[in-house]
Amino acid sequence: MSQLITDMAIFANEVSIEEVQEQILTAYRRVRGETERLAESLSAEDMQLQSMPDASPTKWHLAHTSWFFETFILASHPDYRIFDSDFHHLFNSYYNSLGTPFTRSQRGLISRPDIDRIYAYRKAVDMAMEKLLSEYSCSSSLNSLIELGLNHEQQHQELLLTDIKHALSLNPMSPAYSDGVLEDESDTVEPLRWLEIPGGCYGIGSDGEDFHFDNEGPTHQQLLQAFSISSRLVTNAEYLAFIEDGGYQQHRLWLSDGWALVQKHAQRHPMYWRDTEDGWQQFTLHGLQPLNGTEPVHHLSFYEADAFATWADKRLPTEFEWEAAACHLRQLDQLATANLLEKRFLQPLPARRGQTQFLGDLWEWTSSAYLPYPGFKARKDAVGEYNGKFMCNQKVLRGGSFATPSDHIRISYRNFFYPHQAWQFTGVRLAGD
Amino acid sequence: MSQLITDMAIFANEVSIEEVQEQILTAYRRVRGETERLAESLSAEDMQLQSMPDASPTKWHLAHTSWFFETFILASHPDYRIFDSDFHHLFNSYYNSLGTPFTRSQRGLISRPDIDRIYAYRKAVDMAMEKLLSEYSCSSSLNSLIELGLNHEQQHQELLLTDIKHALSLNPMSPAYSDGVLEDESDTVEPLRWLEIPGGCYGIGSDGEDFHFDNEGPTHQQLLQAFSISSRLVTNAEYLAFIEDGGYQQHRLWLSDGWALVQKHAQRHPMYWRDTEDGWQQFTLHGLQPLNGTEPVHHLSFYEADAFATWADKRLPTEFEWEAAACHLRQLDQLATANLLEKRFLQPLPARRGQTQFLGDLWEWTSSAYLPYPGFKARKDAVGEYNGKFMCNQKVLRGGSFATPSDHIRISYRNFFYPHQAWQFTGVRLAGD
Amino acid sequence: MSQLITDMAIFANEVSIEEVQEQILTAYRRVRGETERLAESLSAEDMQLQSMPDASPTKWHLAHTSWFFETFILASHPDYRIFDSDFHHLFNSYYNSLGTPFTRSQRGLISRPDIDRIYAYRKAVDMAMEKLLSEYSCSSSLNSLIELGLNHEQQHQELLLTDIKHALSLNPMSPAYSDGVLEDESDTVEPLRWLEIPGGCYGIGSDGEDFHFDNEGPTHQQLLQAFSISSRLVTNAEYLAFIEDGGYQQHRLWLSDGWALVQKHAQRHPMYWRDTEDGWQQFTLHGLQPLNGTEPVHHLSFYEADAFATWADKRLPTEFEWEAAACHLRQLDQLATANLLEKRFLQPLPARRGQTQFLGDLWEWTSSAYLPYPGFKARKDAVGEYNGKFMCNQKVLRGGSFATPSDHIRISYRNFFYPHQAWQFTGVRLAGD
Amino acid sequence: MSQLITDMAIFANEVSIEEVQEQILTAYRRVRGETERLAESLSAEDMQLQSMPDASPTKWHLAHTSWFFETFILASHPDYRIFDSDFHHLFNSYYNSLGTPFTRSQRGLISRPDIDRIYAYRKAVDMAMEKLLSEYSCSSSLNSLIELGLNHEQQHQELLLTDIKHALSLNPMSPAYSDGVLEDESDTVEPLRWLEIPGGCYGIGSDGEDFHFDNEGPTHQQLLQAFSISSRLVTNAEYLAFIEDGGYQQHRLWLSDGWALVQKHAQRHPMYWRDTEDGWQQFTLHGLQPLNGTEPVHHLSFYEADAFATWADKRLPTEFEWEAAACHLRQLDQLATANLLEKRFLQPLPARRGQTQFLGDLWEWTSSAYLPYPGFKARKDAVGEYNGKFMCNQKVLRGGSFATPSDHIRISYRNFFYPHQAWQFTGVRLAGD
């Protein structure tokens, strides 16, 4: 895994402070620019949309990621002048330590500031950050905050895409996010094989040298029994077999809470699938498209992923099994060419020869609850609200998706969502005993 | 009351068909232009907002009013080519006869078509309408539909203002709809007097010669007992006395359903009032403003209006009493200078010498339920859904507001809203036995 | 209409005070005994049930009707000792003047006091009331309160039946309230004829000599146009034709609010009808029974009643038309043998020769909103909460049902429910212009 | 831990089949009798109450536990005649394999069958079971089902108490479940000490020889780091310090989902505490009682337990830590005298010298999500719905409470509830690193 910035190299005298500053600046410009590129194809009206409380408008993502740098880095700097005092409240996501955040479900109602002012805000923050980086000798703790801010912004790059996809999906005209030509997907997919992983103690979590979120540590040992894990993601065709076998009508395949939801919503297929006169279609970032059987099935809830696994007489891997298997494979050099954001396919692709899809393509539901690793302690300041307070009721997902930046993902990365949520780019990998 | 167009004059040979066509064209251009002028100060993002299911985005109002002409007039014309076949569904408000309307609560999620395309739609409809009016000898029934379309658009002009006001009110920065300078309101207001109206049989409803909605007829007699009615609207200062006397805490003043709402929402003042360190403020189309005691109190629900009347040991007038009193006053020539949309005050004004405020300033809650007049029958075609199907659970309001076009209002006009609704420009006039 | 008690006779010297007291005592015993007879067939568990917030447990009805006498009559009497101070709160229905009533939706959770204690409460109240009536020379105002209390209890007798019917209907075993043998209903019903009522001024409301609720006054004149009204209630067979014609699928037949409910609940038939393998059945107080086509259709909401009338190209009568027609018929002596509570049929019966069903059988929805008559003023004390505060959002029903005591109903009687409510014994009579 | 029945002994020739049958019969009679004793103090009306969808009426518990024996054991027996065919549907809790269960939230609306018929049902089932046990040579699989049925009934004994407590708590008169005299609680409690448990591999789960639920296996090793665990439960006085320190107002102490609930309900104390003029009281099975500071705090949600731990700068133990610590202590013989159901204290007691409260007193929230142990597979028949399908969104609790039968609890026992639920007899034990 490449990393954005490496403090360690300085201490090792491998690089000078100036070189580090230069690296940070380059990374800063690249990440900030990427966010704006992702919004390029959208109109002011598109960027205003909030289609559900879980999702946020593009405009809000553009502002909130700047707010993060302003609030946690610039605000305490004597030279910096707050861009707009109202923004402190408006673009706070969930940091109660910084005052009551603006009501999440009403983010789509903030037409003013308009998008031009948000871009002016971004520019002002960028100028101040560049000045800071060029004029001051940055401390290690400042560098850490900048790294956190950039990783934070990369998370919102992916959310920007999941959220605008959801908003556009409610438009009966099924508009496309991107005019880009669709990847010419092959009709074939690698056959599914089972990788056998031996039992034993495995080291889990980040070793702390490179950037990682606090929830990836402390590193520790997990005792695992031998298990098998599938060599690629489950495909649309495989999931269709589950549907055609009455998967959504058989209570015994479902967890109790999942079955209740399926009944309540009379659900019969994944959220973006549409059963049309011309066969199955799915809504994508390229608009409505025919369903490709070889493509990995995506936008499943945890309940759907789990029910499919039960139907297949398999199960989902735990997050520890996933990490152990991914590390195992890394040693075998099989993770070279992942489908991540920079490729701009904006969709998962059929697994090709030699691809395992552990990184990229789709976030993979694990059976693990999102809980602290042994010895985890959240920081007591505002930044401590980043991860720790969400460690209840959610499930861990691993591996990143086609919308995750390549220098953002790593094997120890723990993403987390509620089991009913399916608007993220989620998929399924199976495991067995 | 001036009227937009008068077919009758043709039959009376007072005007030629060409003159009528010319009058219609003039009215058409004026009304359509007014709608666009009302949207001029808004950005594409402002026009996208839908703050609650009851309200619609400005963009939707701009489109739906064009849809009305396209659907009910142009669509059946052999020369006309539908602008965009998706619009038939997207911009249908509630005409089930024309297919299932797009989900009302999701109007704010339609970012595409964007505002430029909506203006192109308006232009295409306008050109087709002008061509129709210039090339064809219009029938009486066509003229009626055009008149209906123009009155329909005028209704949406007022809704455009009530809806954008509601949306902007949720922005914690309290932005103004209009940069216009506030009317320099006087500190004085006419003292409240009681007009005595004798009992007897009164003719109610439209006589059918000028334009009116179907719900204003048939004309008929109502037997009324003698009553008194107040000479102007209730002011903010008068309403404040009610609040300060604990009006929102005394159950005995409230209808049972109103009391339940007051309790549920812990309501203590009208919806746009704010109790600040600097005293009472209210959110207006001019932004947040100090409360002016002499101005008529507005944005009351029917429950608040009724509770205030009970507190004052009075009652609300019935719609028949209101109409009888207004007709009575008309004979006395006291209705000359009403505060209506063209004045662009965008707020109610203190009653001045000689003003009764029967027309303009604020819609006045009556105690009457919105029910059909004796002998009323809704048309059986799609246009028949305009009024009749709403004749349940709503209350009649009379008289128009500062946001009502002057050639749209008339004494027989029946507006209607649910008793809990307060986002319209509503006020109170008292009556007594 | 017979009346319970007549003060007027005393002033006319027609009866002595002792005779009046005796009449009151007789009436008191009869009404109180009737309530207990209605509960005789129910177990302690049956009497505990509350199946929805609108309905109350039988036990609560037994207690609340006693609470009424205790609170409004006995409590102020120096000799009387409150039976249980907790009951003041527990059995207050909606009198805010008497403190916050116990949460309506939780009446079914009060297992203690148990039913034996409630009967002891009734007995204690009865003994105190009898003592009062035998030892004191009652004032006219006291007599009025006793009359009110007895009429109040009679209202709860009907509610006891509607509420227990609803509760038992949710038991999948469809238990019967009554083991009584069903009336042997004839297969025939009188053909529906149209009674023509001339236009003119009609006196409406109670004249004040006999007992009536405050909402029945003041008497006043209503100017009515000529109309026709059907000679009997609409039958199950007639309503079935509406269903079979797709009545529940045709939006144009429905008021907008009604159509929204029909869609939301996918409603296709009246609430107690069941579409079984053996044909239509309906849940009744005698358990599940085959649908009898000649019986009046019942348990319709106002929306269903209105949609049926629209389908039949008719309308519902106003409450004034209903009263004018009923008075007209009274003069013709056609109201002799109504199906009321004492007959204990516990169901509506097919109209037989000479029967118009204006009184008894079913409450008839009118098109009138429940509003105050001209000059109505609610009393300012707690008793004033009886009727006035409900005069919003409800519809007037007239005529009583098979569950209404015969000395409780009268032509001027105004019952009222929300338009969506159908668990009362409601039916339809049509009108035309 | 004593166990109800031990098949293993037969195979070891230690006991004869007859002796085993005799043991089973004794256990059957004891467990079934205990359920009825717990209901003895309740009236038919008490037993009808259902105060929320999570809770069930006492009457339903009495019936459902009999349904379990009838459905899983008797029904397949040729000699047995089903007691009432409607009961199959009415008293099915959640076994979708056996048809759609009756709506859970409406269990309180089933007044018929009445309580006498339920006791007749119990008697019929008991007679058939006794006949089965006396006449047939029972197979091992049958014995297993009987054991499961008895353990199932014991679970419902505790639920019967938690559910009736909740129902009675909503009665404003705060009635007591039990007239029994309260334990004379001491004013003192053992000081809280920290037990140090060394790191290492610990065997977790049941070894399969004695009765256990399927979710307690397979046994497996868990690698634990060294940790400390508190020597007794947290007391009311300790929890009060948290409240008085503003614990319910400090967002940083709470998990995000917990904080949302605290805000929504404006919660300020545990659910059965009441802040009265006479100081803190709590509603108990003995009615309303003054709060005793030395008693273990109970009826906490997981969120409250976790926030308290965070406030105390500690954490909750994992279920594996809890089990490792409890096993550790067992070897030291410190678990002799637990406060379990047979003691009939019906409340948790202050920890006395030598007591650790690991078993009995209160169920202890752990930080572990309720997930399958490695290699767990649910049975594919109806009994397989017992535990597996609930392994999502819930938290594990350990140790039993004062309402758990002593031959029902064991160290490997895994109870589970949603993190917001607090109507169970739940408490807190702290852990540290």
Side-chain angles (χ1 to χ4, degrees), chain D residues 8-22:
Chain D
M8 291 303 106
I10 304 174
F11 298 111
N13 288 322
E14 292 170 21
V15 293
S16 68
I17 290 178
E18 289 71 24
E19 282 170 312
V20 170
Q21 302 289 93
E22 186 59 32

Side-chain angles (χ1 to χ4, degrees), chain A residues 45-46 111-112 115 171 176, chain B residues 45-46 111-112 115 171 176:
Chain A
E45 291 143 292
D46 291 336
S111 60
R112 307 183 196 178
I115 189 64
N171 188 319
Chain B
E45 290 144 292
D46 290 336
S111 60
R112 307 184 197 176
I115 189 64
N171 189 319

Side-chain angles (χ1 to χ4, degrees), chain D residues 337-341 343 345-349 359-361 401-403:
Chain D
T337 56
N339 174 12
L340 290 155
L341 180 60
K343 299 248 168 78
F345 291 133
L346 297 177
Q347 65 189 60
L349 298 178
L359 294 188
D361 282 307
S401 81
F402 62 80

Side-chain angles (χ1 to χ4, degrees), chain C residues 7 139-146:
Chain C
D7 281 356
S139 68
S140 171
S141 75
L142 177 58
N143 284 351
S144 290
L145 274 173
I146 297 173

Side-chain angles (χ1 to χ4, degrees), chain B residues 144-199:
Chain B
S144 290
L145 275 173
I146 297 173
E147 247 187 332
L148 182 63
L150 293 174
N151 275 277
H152 171 260
E153 181 138 356
Q154 290 180 314
Q155 292 183 307
H156 281 277
Q157 287 167 3
E158 179 152 3
L159 291 172
L160 185 158
L161 290 170
T162 52
D163 292 355
I164 195 68
K165 179 173 182 178
H166 189 265
L168 295 176
S169 79
L170 296 177
N171 189 319
M173 294 156 66
S174 297
Y177 157 78
S178 160
D179 296 335
V181 181
L182 259 175
E183 167 72 356
D184 181 24
E185 296 184 313
S186 68
D187 290 349
T188 58
V189 63
E190 277 290 286
L192 190 148
R193 290 172 299 111
W194 294 97
L195 313 175
E196 301 295 333
I197 311 293

